[in-house]
């Protein structure tokens, strides 16, 4: 029997004429749906299973002919497909990657002549730097937060990466203190990919301890982080922004938090909109899950470990008087631009959650151990579920809405998938059944009293953003309203019919939980389905949402496969950086 595929990828593949093109476009389309932006044509051995024999033969025997296909070109042509460095791209994604590459190289190049002068200025401000870091300055050990500040001050392009609680926001606060002191007239913009992440950035900055003059601290605390869409000014009903290459952002310093969540299209549009002499600073966790959309730019840029936490030889020499930083052994345009913070100030070295997250990232299944804060259940024990569900009773029993919101957000069920026994939909139903059995909720309508909701799109007019969570409760007249935090310690209400796109949120996907934290987290990995999703980055992201305790329900086999599987997102940007050099730019 002739094997056929007959799926959306095949329809896409066969839309384009070409003798050898179809199987490669089929796989490219599949890769795009999994979040990759290109197809490495030399790494296809694992992709052949399930493909029709004629597709397999072409992939195995004819890949060298791909370059001769009429619709395929290298970087300079105008065809729908680009074959570059043995990676096949849709032209649009190649263009995004090129814009990001050139944008970053331009910032690096324009910053280079300023480094010596900025280092000299830093030397005259040693006192401020010592004040900012007093208490954690040691001659023997490098203070990587201080390194992040110095690197961010002297360069025009910086990435500060680190796991949860490693002090990314604290480092940013200190970096801004130095910048406001040495360049008092600078204009600063802070942004994050989601409204929730922007709000958390604001809260963390407000509570950051900054030992700097009051006027400087006040300027930092007056900054209001916004969403990236708001920063770039979205054009209604369009994917374009008002800030672009022709109309760049006016700020001198632009900081993007939770940068791992920025997809390749938005990343490219940001790079276009950043003026060529701006200081651009990304904060984020390179090990976290990438964006839901295509691309994992932060992870891709931080791919090459040897250049992280090093600076070029010349910079090492001039910075020496303030902080001795290791000189990069290899010349690379990104060397000196990426600082990784490794010490968690939230989890101690003996923290079970901290150790669990390290074991997951290292792929060490044998190091994953239960303890008092970590429960690992391979048998999907119902008592554990019921005990967790009981935790939701507290927010319902809480009369004060502000407190109720806090209690709701103190625990969350995190699922890898939507469907199936361990999926979000089923878990939400189970919790509702549990609460109904306790007579704590009555599902009389869509917006029933005490329904926990999560907004699933941005409502700019209402100041509500994708990911915001609220509770349905009556107001003083008995009318049901949706109540949300106002970000200032209080609550505000919205009529439910203004927000049609919401989900029940006892349980949510791990993807959606990025950028949030809860005291207690229950993680469920599916027995069936989601195989291509289950990676150590997914589990790491879920585990690091927990502050105090984490329970994982997953079979032995699924847990093992998840921990040994790492996301290998295909993008060609790192190789293209190696091929470029900051002094030999190809800015077309
Ligand atoms: N050098 C330090 N010494 C002591 N405590 C610190 C230090 N740096 C940060 N902290 C504390 O650790 C906590 C986390 O810091 P911060 O919010 O800056 O980390 P983060 O990496 O931005 O965290 P998140 O995971 O929320 O993104 C804060 O309470 C902060 O005050």
């Amino acid at each position: 029997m002739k094997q056929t595929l007959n799926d959306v990828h095949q329809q896409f593949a066969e839309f384009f004429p070409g003798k050898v093109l179809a199987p490669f476009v089929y796989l490219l389309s599949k890769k795009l749906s999994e979040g990759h932006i290109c197809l490495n044509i030399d790494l296809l051995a694992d992709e052949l299973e399930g493909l029709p024999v004629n597709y397999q033969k072409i992939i195995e025997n004819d890949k060298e002919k791909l370059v001769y296909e009429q619709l395929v070109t290298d970087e300079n042509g105008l065809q729908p497909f680009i074959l570059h460095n043995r990676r096949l791209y849709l032209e649009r994604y190649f263009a995004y990657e090129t814009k990001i590459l050139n944008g970053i190289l331009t910032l690096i190049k324009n910053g280079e002549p300023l480094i010596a002068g900025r280092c000299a200025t830093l030397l005259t401000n040693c006192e401020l730097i010592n004040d900012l870091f007093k208490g954690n300055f040691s001659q023997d050990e490098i203070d990587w937060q201080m390194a992040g500040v110095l690197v961010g001050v002297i360069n025009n392009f910086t990435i500060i990466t680190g796991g949860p609680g490693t002090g990314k926001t604290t480092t940013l606060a200190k970096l801004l203190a130095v910048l406001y002191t040495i360049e008092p007239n600078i204009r600063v913009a802070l942004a994050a990919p989601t409204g929730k992440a922007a709000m958390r950035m604001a809260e963390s900055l407000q509570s950051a301890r900054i030992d700097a003059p009051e006027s400087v601290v006040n300027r930092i605390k007056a900054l209001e982080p916004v969403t990236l869409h708001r920063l770039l000014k979205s054009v209604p009903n369009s994917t374009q922004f008002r800030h672009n290459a022709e109309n760049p952002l006016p700020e001198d310093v632009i900081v993007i938090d939770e940068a791992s969540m920025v997809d390749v299209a938005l990343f490219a549009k940001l790079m276009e909109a950043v003026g060529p002499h701006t200081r651009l600073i990304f904060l984020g966790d390179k090990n976290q899950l990438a964006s839901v959309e295509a691309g994992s730019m932060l992870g891709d840029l931080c791919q090459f470990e040897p250049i992280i936490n090093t600076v070029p030889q010349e910079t090492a020499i001039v910075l020496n008087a303030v902080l001795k930083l290791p000189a990069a052994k290899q010349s690379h345009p990104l060397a000196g631009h990426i600082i990784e913070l490794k010490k968690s100030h939230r989890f101690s070295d003996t923290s079970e959650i901290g150790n669990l997250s390290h074991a997951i990232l290292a792929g060490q299944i044998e190091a994953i151990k239960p303890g008092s804060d970590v429960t690992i259940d391979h048998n999907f024990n119902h008592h554990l579920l019921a005990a967790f569900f009981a935790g939701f009773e507290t927010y319902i029993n809480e009369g004060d809405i502000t407190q109720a919101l806090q209690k709701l957000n103190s625990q969350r069920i995190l699922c890898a998938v939507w469907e199936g026994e361990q999926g979000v939909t089923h878990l939400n139903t189970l919790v509702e059944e549990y609460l109904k059995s306790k007579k704590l909720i009555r599902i009389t309508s869509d917006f029933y009293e005490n329904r926990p909701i999560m907004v699933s799109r941005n409502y700019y007019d209402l100041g509500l953003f994708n990911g915001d969570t609220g509770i349905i409760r009556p107001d003083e007249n008995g009318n049901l309203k949706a109540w949300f935090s106002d970000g200032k310690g209080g609550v505000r209400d919205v009529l439910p019919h203004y927000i049609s796109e919401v989900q029940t949120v006892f349980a949510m996907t791990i993807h959606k939980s990025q950028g949030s934290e809860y005291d207690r987290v229950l993680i469920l990995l599916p027995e069936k389905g989601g195989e291509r999703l289950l990676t150590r980055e997914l589990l790491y992201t879920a585990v690091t949402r927990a502050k105090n305790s984490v329970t994982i329900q997953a079979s032995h086999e699924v847990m093992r496969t998840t921990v040994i599987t790492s996301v290998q997102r295909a993008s060609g940007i790192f190789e293209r950086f190696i091929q470029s050099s900051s002094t030999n730019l190809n800015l077309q």
Side-chain angles (χ1 to χ4, degrees):
M1 198 178 74
K2 189 171 178 269
Q3 198 182 352
T4 57
L5 288 162
N6 195 23
D7 58 25
V8 62
H9 307 303
Q10 190 189 22
Q11 286 167 22
F12 182 66
E14 296 190 349
F15 179 77
F16 300 98
K19 225 167 162 245
V20 297
L21 195 55
F24 292 96
V25 173
Y26 177 85
L27 289 180
L28 174 62
S29 171
K30 248 175 100 189
K31 286 277 172 201
L32 291 174
S33 72
E34 290 164 11
H36 304 272
I37 64 164
C38 58
L39 178 77
N40 186 328
I41 63 165
D42 291 326
L43 295 178
L44 298 181
D46 292 342
E47 310 290 338
L48 300 179
E49 203 184 309
L51 290 187
V53 176
N54 62 327
Y55 270 24
Q56 293 193 20
K57 277 194 183 146
I58 293 175
I59 289 170
E60 281 174 336
N61 304 325
D62 295 335
K63 69 179 173 204
E64 303 310 329
K65 294 182 188 155
L66 200 49
V67 65
Y68 303 113
E69 286 288 295
Q70 204 195 338
L71 298 181
V72 178
T73 179
D74 65 7
E75 63 185 292
N76 297 315
L78 281 174
Q79 292 295 350
F81 299 99
I82 307 285
L83 188 64
H84 186 81
N85 286 345
R86 301 191 64 77
R87 289 180 173 89
L88 186 67
Y89 297 76
L90 277 182
E91 193 275 336
R92 180 159 64 103
Y93 286 104
F94 186 75
Y96 288 148
E97 198 181 270
T98 307
K99 277 179 188 157
I100 296 168
L101 174 81
N102 289 343
I104 294 175
L105 286 174
T106 302
L107 292 179
I108 291 176
K109 177 175 166 270
N110 290 346
E112 272 169 3
L114 307 172
I115 292 178
R118 287 172 174 173
C119 284
T121 312
L122 277 176
L123 288 181
T124 61
N125 283 278
C126 273
E127 208 175 317
L128 169 73
I129 294 165
N130 280 329
D131 279 350
L132 285 168
F133 287 93
K134 73 176 157 237
N136 50 350
F137 184 79
S138 144
Q139 289 294 333
D140 309 325
E141 218 181 297
I142 295 175
D143 183 332
W144 288 109
Q145 293 188 352
M146 190 199 267
V149 169
L150 302 184
V151 163
V153 169
I154 64 172
N155 287 299
N156 279 3
F157 178 76
T158 304
I159 294 175
I160 299 173
T161 181
T166 47
K168 299 179 291 295
T169 322
T170 307
T171 305
L172 170 66
K174 294 178 179 183
L175 168 51
L176 292 174
V178 177
L179 285 176
Y180 276 137
T181 306
I182 63 177
E183 294 174 33
N185 297 324
I186 50 162
R187 291 159 301 171
V188 176
L190 308 181
T194 65
K196 200 168 46 159
M199 201 184 278
R200 274 201 66 210
M201 187 187 196
E203 285 164 5
S204 301
L205 266 186
Q206 287 303 325
S207 55
R209 215 188 116 201
I210 316 163
D211 288 318
E214 201 182 330
S215 58
V216 168
V217 175
N218 288 343
R219 286 187 76 182
I220 297 170
K221 305 237 164 173
L223 290 168
E224 288 184 7
V226 294
T227 61
L228 248 171
H229 282 81
R230 183 154 276 190
L231 176 78
L232 297 175
K233 296 204 169 77
S234 28
V235 176
N237 305 320
S238 149
T239 54
Q240 300 307 312
F241 294 97
R242 268 193 272 148
H243 284 297
N244 49 36
E246 280 74 49
N247 177 28
L249 289 157
E251 287 83 5
D252 309 294
V253 178
I254 294 169
V255 184
I256 309 297
D257 198 6
E258 296 286 358
S260 61
M261 291 162 73
V262 183
D263 66 78
V264 68
L266 191 55
F267 208 119
K269 286 169 189 172
L270 168 73
M271 292 313 305
E272 271 189 312
V274 166
H277 298 283
T278 312
R279 267 197 190 88
L280 180 63
I281 298 160
F282 287 110
L283 308 180
D285 182 350
K286 70 182 172 65
N287 295 317
Q288 257 206 46
L289 270 180
S291 63
V292 181
E293 309 297 331
S296 53
M297 281 301 137
L298 188 81
D300 290 353
L301 294 172
C302 298
Q303 232 175 60
F304 192 50
E305 288 286 333
I307 58 156
I308 297 180
N309 288 356
T310 63
V311 290
Q313 190 82 42
E314 320 79 67
T315 314
I317 294 166
V318 274
L319 271 181
N320 214 347
V322 193
L323 186 67
K324 282 196 179 69
L325 293 179
K329 294 201 175 67
Q330 256 164 291
S331 136
H332 188 287
L334 290 173
H337 296 272
I338 307 176
I339 294 294
E340 182 176 10
L341 309 177
K342 293 190 175 164
K343 183 177 163 45
S344 173
H345 296 278
R346 196 166 294 148
F347 302 126
S348 68
D349 289 346
T350 55
S351 146
E352 289 174 9
I353 300 177
N355 290 340
L356 173 65
S357 66
H358 292 145
I360 294 169
L361 270 189
Q364 291 172 334
I365 187 82
E366 64 290 348
I368 296 181
K369 294 197 180 84
S372 50
D373 303 337
V374 173
T375 305
I376 295 172
D377 169 28
H378 296 307
N379 303 311
F380 297 94
N381 189 323
H382 281 287
H383 299 302
L384 277 178
L385 273 189
F388 200 84
F389 293 175
F392 289 116
E393 294 178 26
T394 54
Y395 90 84
I396 297 180
N397 289 325
E398 173 59 62
D400 179 72
I401 183 79
T402 311
Q403 296 276 329
L405 267 172
Q406 276 171 16
K407 287 180 179 170
L408 168 69
N409 287 325
S410 67
Q411 69 166 44
R412 195 60 43 94
I413 300 169
L414 303 180
C415 306
V417 291
W418 273 97
E419 304 305 330
E421 284 262 304
Q422 288 81 31
V424 173
T425 309
H426 184 60
L427 265 296
N428 274 330
T429 308
L430 287 183
V431 181
E432 285 181 338
E433 293 298 327
Y434 172 89
L435 295 172
K436 269 200 296 191
S437 75
K438 297 275 169 189
K439 306 222 176 331
L440 287 169
I441 56 168
R442 280 176 57 234
I443 305 187
T444 47
S445 66
D446 249 8
F447 287 104
Y448 61 86
E449 186 170 344
N450 276 317
R451 180 185 172 196
I453 53 169
M454 181 170 67
V455 180
S456 50
R457 57 160 267 219
N458 293 332
Y459 290 91
Y460 289 105
D461 298 348
L462 298 172
L464 283 178
F465 300 101
N466 196 340
D468 284 351
T469 50
I471 302 176
I472 304 295
R473 280 207 179 170
D475 63 11
E476 64 277 13
N477 300 318
N479 299 321
L480 285 177
K481 298 271 181 69
W483 300 82
F484 295 91
S485 157
D486 65 1
K488 297 174 198 138
V491 282
R492 65 209 184 85
D493 60 295
V494 176
L495 278 170
H497 68 256
Y498 285 148
I499 43 170
S500 51
E501 289 182 46
V502 296
Q503 295 151 9
T504 301
V505 74
F506 296 109
M508 68 199 286
T509 61
I510 298 169
H511 263 105
K512 209 67 202 211
S513 74
Q514 287 183 81
S516 299
E517 281 182 333
Y518 312 94
D519 292 337
R520 294 175 300 284
V521 162
L522 167 67
I523 301 164
L524 287 115
L525 300 184
E527 272 306 274
K528 285 203 202 85
E531 286 80 5
R532 296 188 85 107
L533 277 177
L534 297 179
T535 60
R536 69 174 68 138
E537 289 79 6
L538 185 88
L539 190 56
Y540 168 82
T541 302
V543 163
T544 51
R545 299 310 91 211
K547 285 194 275 189
N548 299 331
S549 81
V550 58
T551 300
I552 305 176
Q553 290 199 319
S555 71
H556 243 299
E557 190 45 31
V558 166
M559 183 89 174
R560 200 188 68 83
T561 323
T562 303
V563 172
I564 60 173
T565 310
S566 180
V567 182
Q568 301 274 319
R569 278 218 171 166
S571 106
I573 197 153
F574 201 81
E575 214 168 304
R576 294 176 73 189
F577 264 109
I578 296 172
Q579 288 162 349
S580 69
S581 102
S582 54
T583 49
N584 181 21
L585 283 175
N586 174 21
L587 307 176
Q588 350 131 8

